[in-house]
Amino acid sequence: DDIQDEAIMRNGFPVTNSVYGLHYSINAANYLQFIACEKFFNLHPMAVKIVIEQFMEYYKGQGMDLYWKEKFICPKEEDYNILAVRKSGWLNIMVVKLMKLFSTYEEDVLSLASTFGLYRQIHDDYCNLRHDEDTNENSYCDDLTEGKMSFLVIHALRKNPDDKKIINILKQRSKNIEIKRYCVKILESYGSFKYAKDVLDELEEKMRTEIDRLGGNPPFVKLLDDFRNKMLKTHI
């Protein structure tokens, strides 16, 4: 993902390929995938099928992301939601399906896993276009440098189809902070930050309600609290 996105930082650290190089990083990533598959095969006969299916979902989501970004195509929000669940929900869904192999629990929690995946992707998009005390010159709004069709960008372009400034800034793949700040101001003026925040609040409430219905889960609730607190610490 970092290699394809030409990312510089990941969670506050330089991306692996910037430290160890492309060849080692690609080889190590592929090797780790096969190690995981081997362990899953020993876990349960159906486990590998589930893992491969979810890996395929992730790669399909990544393909959508790359295609929109490289072709400068603004998708519909519904298509973005599909991408988000594929890219950020595949692991949650995989874990749930694997646990079901060893459980008699009948409640459907896949919808919760999917909602959390969508929430995470929009949350990442939202926070990436803002900054906090950990933001530096390299990580500031790097989604704009990548030319990414993020949730906020899609909202702005869909609401203002005649505006060419945002799409042209994305085409530049600019690392210039002032250019990126200008783009952020445009997004703010179009109400894209507010819209994303409203959607995140709605998804969070939906998840908390579902968690309560399922009997509660303090670690999950704390995780949602952490996501909310991180979002509240950011600013434009």
PDB file of all heavy atoms in Angstrom, residues 103-116:
ATOM      1  N   SER A 103     -17.036 -21.127  16.751  1.00  0.00           N
ATOM      2  CA  SER A 103     -18.030 -20.590  17.680  1.00  0.00           C
ATOM      3  C   SER A 103     -19.441 -21.021  17.289  1.00  0.00           C
ATOM      4  O   SER A 103     -19.738 -21.245  16.115  1.00  0.00           O
ATOM      5  CB  SER A 103     -17.946 -19.060  17.695  1.00  0.00           C
ATOM      6  OG  SER A 103     -18.984 -18.500  18.468  1.00  0.00           O
ATOM      7  N   THR A 104     -20.290 -21.111  18.290  1.00  0.00           N
ATOM      8  CA  THR A 104     -21.710 -21.393  18.055  1.00  0.00           C
ATOM      9  C   THR A 104     -22.537 -20.111  18.185  1.00  0.00           C
ATOM     10  O   THR A 104     -23.762 -20.161  18.144  1.00  0.00           O
ATOM     11  CB  THR A 104     -22.226 -22.435  19.064  1.00  0.00           C
ATOM     12  OG1 THR A 104     -22.010 -21.958  20.398  1.00  0.00           O
ATOM     13  CG2 THR A 104     -21.503 -23.763  18.871  1.00  0.00           C
ATOM     14  N   TYR A 105     -21.855 -18.987  18.338  1.00  0.00           N
ATOM     15  CA  TYR A 105     -22.532 -17.696  18.482  1.00  0.00           C
ATOM     16  C   TYR A 105     -23.299 -17.379  17.207  1.00  0.00           C
ATOM     17  O   TYR A 105     -22.740 -17.410  16.107  1.00  0.00           O
ATOM     18  CB  TYR A 105     -21.495 -16.611  18.763  1.00  0.00           C
ATOM     19  CG  TYR A 105     -22.066 -15.262  19.133  1.00  0.00           C
ATOM     20  CD1 TYR A 105     -22.699 -15.054  20.349  1.00  0.00           C
ATOM     21  CD2 TYR A 105     -21.945 -14.183  18.258  1.00  0.00           C
ATOM     22  CE1 TYR A 105     -23.200 -13.813  20.693  1.00  0.00           C
ATOM     23  CE2 TYR A 105     -22.445 -12.935  18.591  1.00  0.00           C
ATOM     24  CZ  TYR A 105     -23.073 -12.756  19.816  1.00  0.00           C
ATOM     25  OH  TYR A 105     -23.568 -11.524  20.149  1.00  0.00           O
ATOM     26  N   GLU A 106     -24.577 -17.053  17.339  1.00  0.00           N
ATOM     27  CA  GLU A 106     -25.439 -16.906  16.168  1.00  0.00           C
ATOM     28  C   GLU A 106     -25.678 -15.460  15.740  1.00  0.00           C
ATOM     29  O   GLU A 106     -26.158 -15.210  14.635  1.00  0.00           O
ATOM     30  CB  GLU A 106     -26.797 -17.576  16.438  1.00  0.00           C
ATOM     31  CG  GLU A 106     -26.719 -19.084  16.621  1.00  0.00           C
ATOM     32  CD  GLU A 106     -26.203 -19.797  15.379  1.00  0.00           C
ATOM     33  OE1 GLU A 106     -26.439 -19.290  14.260  1.00  0.00           O
ATOM     34  OE2 GLU A 106     -25.552 -20.846  15.531  1.00  0.00           O
ATOM     35  N   GLU A 107     -25.382 -14.504  16.606  1.00  0.00           N
ATOM     36  CA  GLU A 107     -25.640 -13.103  16.253  1.00  0.00           C
ATOM     37  C   GLU A 107     -24.760 -12.668  15.077  1.00  0.00           C
ATOM     38  O   GLU A 107     -23.603 -13.063  14.966  1.00  0.00           O
ATOM     39  CB  GLU A 107     -25.362 -12.199  17.457  1.00  0.00           C
ATOM     40  CG  GLU A 107     -26.391 -12.293  18.563  1.00  0.00           C
ATOM     41  CD  GLU A 107     -27.668 -11.537  18.244  1.00  0.00           C
ATOM     42  OE1 GLU A 107     -27.756 -10.939  17.155  1.00  0.00           O
ATOM     43  OE2 GLU A 107     -28.580 -11.545  19.086  1.00  0.00           O
ATOM     44  N   ASP A 108     -25.335 -11.835  14.220  1.00  0.00           N
ATOM     45  CA  ASP A 108     -24.594 -11.317  13.069  1.00  0.00           C
ATOM     46  C   ASP A 108     -23.763 -10.109  13.501  1.00  0.00           C
ATOM     47  O   ASP A 108     -24.314  -9.081  13.879  1.00  0.00           O
ATOM     48  CB  ASP A 108     -25.564 -10.912  11.958  1.00  0.00           C
ATOM     49  CG  ASP A 108     -24.852 -10.254  10.783  1.00  0.00           C
ATOM     50  OD1 ASP A 108     -23.663 -10.573  10.568  1.00  0.00           O
ATOM     51  OD2 ASP A 108     -25.470  -9.423  10.096  1.00  0.00           O
ATOM     52  N   VAL A 109     -22.454 -10.250  13.450  1.00  0.00           N
ATOM     53  CA  VAL A 109     -21.577  -9.122  13.788  1.00  0.00           C
ATOM     54  C   VAL A 109     -20.797  -8.638  12.568  1.00  0.00           C
ATOM     55  O   VAL A 109     -19.980  -7.723  12.677  1.00  0.00           O
ATOM     56  CB  VAL A 109     -20.599  -9.491  14.927  1.00  0.00           C
ATOM     57  CG1 VAL A 109     -21.347  -9.737  16.220  1.00  0.00           C
ATOM     58  CG2 VAL A 109     -19.761 -10.700  14.560  1.00  0.00           C
ATOM     59  N   LEU A 110     -21.065  -9.240  11.417  1.00  0.00           N
ATOM     60  CA  LEU A 110     -20.366  -8.818  10.202  1.00  0.00           C
ATOM     61  C   LEU A 110     -20.732  -7.386   9.812  1.00  0.00           C
ATOM     62  O   LEU A 110     -19.891  -6.636   9.312  1.00  0.00           O
ATOM     63  CB  LEU A 110     -20.683  -9.772   9.045  1.00  0.00           C
ATOM     64  CG  LEU A 110     -19.944 -11.111   9.047  1.00  0.00           C
ATOM     65  CD1 LEU A 110     -20.446 -11.999   7.920  1.00  0.00           C
ATOM     66  CD2 LEU A 110     -18.438 -10.899   8.922  1.00  0.00           C
ATOM     67  N   SER A 111     -21.984  -7.017  10.045  1.00  0.00           N
ATOM     68  CA  SER A 111     -22.397  -5.652   9.708  1.00  0.00           C
ATOM     69  C   SER A 111     -21.652  -4.637  10.570  1.00  0.00           C
ATOM     70  O   SER A 111     -21.275  -3.558  10.097  1.00  0.00           O
ATOM     71  CB  SER A 111     -23.908  -5.486   9.884  1.00  0.00           C
ATOM     72  OG  SER A 111     -24.299  -5.762  11.220  1.00  0.00           O
ATOM     73  N   LEU A 112     -21.409  -4.984  11.824  1.00  0.00           N
ATOM     74  CA  LEU A 112     -20.644  -4.111  12.711  1.00  0.00           C
ATOM     75  C   LEU A 112     -19.201  -4.005  12.228  1.00  0.00           C
ATOM     76  O   LEU A 112     -18.615  -2.913  12.219  1.00  0.00           O
ATOM     77  CB  LEU A 112     -20.685  -4.652  14.140  1.00  0.00           C
ATOM     78  CG  LEU A 112     -19.902  -3.867  15.203  1.00  0.00           C
ATOM     79  CD1 LEU A 112     -20.386  -2.423  15.295  1.00  0.00           C
ATOM     80  CD2 LEU A 112     -20.021  -4.555  16.563  1.00  0.00           C
ATOM     81  N   ALA A 113     -18.636  -5.122  11.803  1.00  0.00           N
ATOM     82  CA  ALA A 113     -17.264  -5.122  11.286  1.00  0.00           C
ATOM     83  C   ALA A 113     -17.156  -4.262  10.032  1.00  0.00           C
ATOM     84  O   ALA A 113     -16.184  -3.514   9.852  1.00  0.00           O
ATOM     85  CB  ALA A 113     -16.819  -6.555  10.986  1.00  0.00           C
ATOM     86  N   SER A 114     -18.158  -4.345   9.165  1.00  0.00           N
ATOM     87  CA  SER A 114     -18.161  -3.545   7.937  1.00  0.00           C
ATOM     88  C   SER A 114     -18.305  -2.056   8.247  1.00  0.00           C
ATOM     89  O   SER A 114     -17.621  -1.215   7.651  1.00  0.00           O
ATOM     90  CB  SER A 114     -19.299  -3.996   7.019  1.00  0.00           C
ATOM     91  OG  SER A 114     -19.117  -5.328   6.605  1.00  0.00           O
ATOM     92  N   THR A 115     -19.195  -1.742   9.179  1.00  0.00           N
ATOM     93  CA  THR A 115     -19.395  -0.339   9.562  1.00  0.00           C
ATOM     94  C   THR A 115     -18.124   0.249  10.148  1.00  0.00           C
ATOM     95  O   THR A 115     -17.762   1.396   9.861  1.00  0.00           O
ATOM     96  CB  THR A 115     -20.544  -0.214  10.582  1.00  0.00           C
ATOM     97  OG1 THR A 115     -21.739  -0.750  10.018  1.00  0.00           O
ATOM     98  CG2 THR A 115     -20.785   1.246  10.954  1.00  0.00           C
ATOM     99  N   PHE A 116     -17.433  -0.544  10.951  1.00  0.00           N
ATOM    100  CA  PHE A 116     -16.180  -0.067  11.540  1.00  0.00           C
ATOM    101  C   PHE A 116     -15.128   0.176  10.458  1.00  0.00           C
ATOM    102  O   PHE A 116     -14.355   1.137  10.527  1.00  0.00           O
ATOM    103  CB  PHE A 116     -15.660  -1.070  12.569  1.00  0.00           C
ATOM    104  CG  PHE A 116     -14.419  -0.616  13.282  1.00  0.00           C
ATOM    105  CD1 PHE A 116     -14.384   0.607  13.934  1.00  0.00           C
ATOM    106  CD2 PHE A 116     -13.286  -1.409  13.298  1.00  0.00           C
ATOM    107  CE1 PHE A 116     -13.233   1.039  14.593  1.00  0.00           C
ATOM    108  CE2 PHE A 116     -12.133  -0.991  13.953  1.00  0.00           C
ATOM    109  CZ  PHE A 116     -12.105   0.233  14.601  1.00  0.00           C
TER     110      PHE A 116
END
